[in-house]
Amino acid sequence: MTKTSPDPLDAPTAALAAAVLEIARHVGDDAMAAPRWFALANSARLLAEQPGLAALLGEESSTIMAADELQLISIELDHHEPGSAASADHTDPLQALTAVEWPDMANGAVLACDLAPEQWMVRAQDTDPTAIDAAQGEEALGALRVVVGALEDGTTWSALRRAGEQQYTLGAALLPDLSAALLESLQPPQ
């Protein structure tokens, strides 16, 4: 499902990478007409603040989760539902992000979406210029499945997959514009 990333994984980045890959599996292969949004909460902190959640999970699961200070729980927001503020005319994830309201418990966020060929490009320095024949046009590129995560502390991680491919390409800075916008949305208003 993934290609090896050249980016080093410290513990917080590894926790975010695990959450991003879990969400990539969750959204599956079906096309997405609009972005889907996931709040990330620190498992240990959430269990401490919500004792009822620990009871629902059971003693063994809640004990394991409470012991891992870095584990993240993802919670899908309803913003992708048709008719919601974030989905109405917002197939562009940067535009849709302006309508997303993160819950107080969120210390991170993940965006999952499909980018149409006109919404992305391969930069010349990132690839062999002969790898993509410009004469083929945007249609040949196909959609790009994007799952981008950010934590309040500035940690980012992305998983990308072109249409028709089975494996994700992983890295911390694959989509710098989306990562920066997602990170900025997590910061408290000034």
Side-chain angles (χ1 to χ4, degrees), residues 152-189:
E152 289 175 325
D153 69 3
T155 303
T156 62
W157 195 258
S158 302
L160 312 175
R161 183 180 71 197
R162 288 187 188 179
E165 292 186 4
Q166 297 299 313
Q167 294 185 337
Y168 279 92
T169 298
L170 308 174
L174 297 177
L175 294 163
D177 294 343
L178 279 177
S179 297
L182 194 58
L183 181 59
E184 184 178 326
S185 76
L186 290 166
Q187 304 308 313

Side-chain angles (χ1 to χ4, degrees), residues 49-183:
E49 292 172 1
Q50 302 287 331
L53 181 58
L56 287 173
L57 293 171
E59 186 176 337
E60 184 178 345
S61 294
S62 60
T63 301
I64 292 169
M65 291 172 70
D68 186 349
E69 291 294 322
L70 296 174
Q71 183 178 10
L72 299 166
I73 291 178
S74 61
I75 301 139
E76 186 166 9
L77 304 181
D78 288 333
H79 294 279
H80 71 282
E81 294 299 324
S84 73
S87 70
D89 299 323
H90 289 170
T91 57
D92 176 350
L94 291 175
Q95 184 181 17
L97 185 57
T98 62
V100 175
E101 295 178 24
W102 301 112
D104 291 338
M105 68 175 156
N107 66 319
V110 174
L111 152 70
C113 68
D114 289 337
L115 295 179
E118 63 273 7
Q119 292 177 296
W120 68 277
M121 69 177 156
V122 177
R123 293 184 180 152
Q125 71 266 23
D126 296 338
T127 187
D128 176 359
T130 61
I132 298 175
D133 182 357
Q136 292 176 318
E138 293 173 350
E139 300 299 320
L141 294 175
L144 185 68
R145 171 60 52 95
V146 172
V147 185
V148 180
L151 298 177
E152 289 175 325
D153 69 3
T155 303
T156 62
W157 195 258
S158 302
L160 312 175
R161 183 180 71 197
R162 288 187 188 179
E165 292 186 4
Q166 297 299 313
Q167 294 185 337
Y168 279 92
T169 298
L170 308 174
L174 297 177
L175 294 163
D177 294 343
L178 279 177
S179 297
L182 194 58
L183 181 59

Side-chain angles (χ1 to χ4, degrees), residues 28-45:
D29 294 329
D30 294 336
M32 287 186 269
R36 293 173 66 177
W37 306 99
F38 299 82
L40 297 177
N42 177 281
S43 300
R45 188 174 80 199

